[in-house]
Amino acid sequence: QLEHIEKHLKNDCLLATVSCKWNSPNGCPVKGNRAGISQHEQKCTFRNVACNSCKKEIQMPNVAQHTDVCGKMQLICPKGCPMLICRDAMDSHLTFNCMETMDCPFKYLGCTATIKKHELTSHLKVERRKHFLLGEDAFKKQLCEIAKLPTFDDLGQIRNELVEMVTDTHSRIDASITKQSEDVTVVLHNVEALKRADEEREKCFISLVRQIDEISKRTDGSPPQPKHEV
């Protein structure tokens, strides 16, 4: 009977204290009677949950971290096409299957095709002759443009004209500088003449003052007497 009691307490007794079933694998510290522990286990923050994408069992605290790296997680194509792609297949999708459109790489030659990225190889194969003809036309146009470029004789003439123009410009500049120098010389001469005139006027003024002083010294300073008529 003791053996039955121990078995009962271990496996069936609803009042026996037991640990959360997530204690051993995940470290949940909660304990309770068997009758109520199942309610806790359903909401235990240490429980395992299945990833919706890969179905792998993940500890509840690690769900967000797993979601960021799960290879089976479906993501929106970053190029804007309407397809949902698993993270593991995204690189292959962007290279071969993406619905993103692109211009033909020979657009600069005149190809106006807009194609899906994964159809590029097929387009280049089908339109190979068209691209060749476009390249040939572009080459001919370049030859025509090259023919319009000046020859060596033309370049020599252009060089002579440039030399003549530069020489004439230098002559004009020299003449202008010479004239400006002459104008400056005239101005300086006039300034010197005015300076000398001012000095002469100053000398005359000083001489006049001295004469007045001499006359004042010869008189006694009394006013002149009026003369009486006889």
Side-chain angles (χ1 to χ4, degrees):
Q1 292 182 349
L2 180 60
E3 181 180 353
H4 291 299
I5 291 174
E6 290 179 352
K7 184 178 180 181
H8 167 75
L9 291 174
K10 182 178 181 180
N11 299 321
D12 302 320
C13 180
L14 298 179
L15 299 180
T17 300
V18 295
S19 297
C20 172
K21 70 176 183 179
W22 303 113
N23 171 266
S24 178
N26 299 340
C28 177
V30 174
K31 294 182 178 181
N33 61 57
R34 184 174 281 112
I37 198 68
S38 60
Q39 295 180 358
H40 160 77
E41 291 172 345
Q42 293 175 2
K43 299 179 180 180
C44 179
T45 56
F46 288 84
R47 71 186 186 277
N48 288 346
V49 293
C51 173
N52 292 329
S53 300
C54 67
K55 308 307 179 184
K56 182 179 179 180
E57 291 288 325
I58 308 297
Q59 289 187 27
M60 191 67 179
N62 300 329
V63 170
Q65 181 180 357
H66 171 77
T67 301
D68 291 338
V69 297
C70 179
K72 302 301 180 182
M73 175 71 67
Q74 288 192 326
L75 304 174
I76 298 174
C77 174
K79 297 296 185 180
C81 83
M83 299 181 66
L84 291 175
I85 311 298
C86 291
R87 181 179 276 112
D88 285 346
M90 185 62 73
D91 289 342
S92 176
H93 165 76
L94 294 175
T95 304
F96 302 107
N97 302 314
C98 185
M99 301 295 288
E100 178 194 13
T101 59
M102 60 177 293
D103 292 329
C104 173
F106 292 106
K107 181 179 180 179
Y108 72 97
L109 293 178
C111 182
T112 58
T114 301
I115 54 178
K116 294 181 176 63
K117 191 173 183 179
H118 68 275
E119 296 175 348
L120 174 60
T121 302
S122 176
H123 169 75
L124 295 177
K125 183 177 180 180
V126 172
E127 302 294 344
R128 180 172 55 185
R129 178 170 176 77
K130 176 183 177 181
H131 295 154
F132 175 79
L133 295 175
L134 288 173
E136 186 178 25
D137 289 343
F139 180 71
K140 290 179 180 179
K141 290 179 181 178
Q142 288 179 351
L143 289 178
C144 292
E145 293 298 325
I146 291 173
K148 295 178 182 179
L149 293 176
T151 63
F152 286 107
D153 293 337
D154 293 334
L155 291 175
Q157 181 179 354
I158 293 172
R159 176 184 176 280
N160 293 334
E161 291 177 355
L162 288 174
V163 170
E164 183 178 352
M165 182 177 66
V166 171
T167 302
D168 181 66
T169 302
H170 284 176
S171 298
R172 292 175 180 272
I173 293 174
D174 290 341
S176 176
I177 292 174
T178 300
K179 185 177 183 306
Q180 290 177 3
S181 299
E182 292 175 353
D183 293 341
V184 170
T185 301
V186 171
V187 170
L188 292 176
H189 177 74
N190 291 336
V191 169
E192 289 294 330
L194 291 173
K195 184 178 179 181
R196 288 194 298 271
D198 288 338
E199 292 175 350
E200 292 296 330
R201 283 195 293 271
E202 185 178 0
K203 290 179 180 180
C204 292
F205 178 76
I206 292 173
S207 176
L208 180 61
V209 170
R210 288 177 178 174
Q211 291 178 9
I212 293 174
D213 288 341
E214 289 295 331
I215 294 173
S216 297
K217 291 178 180 179
R218 293 174 184 174
T219 61
D220 55 0
S222 57
Q225 296 296 325
K227 293 181 179 181
H228 297 281
E229 294 182 358
V230 181

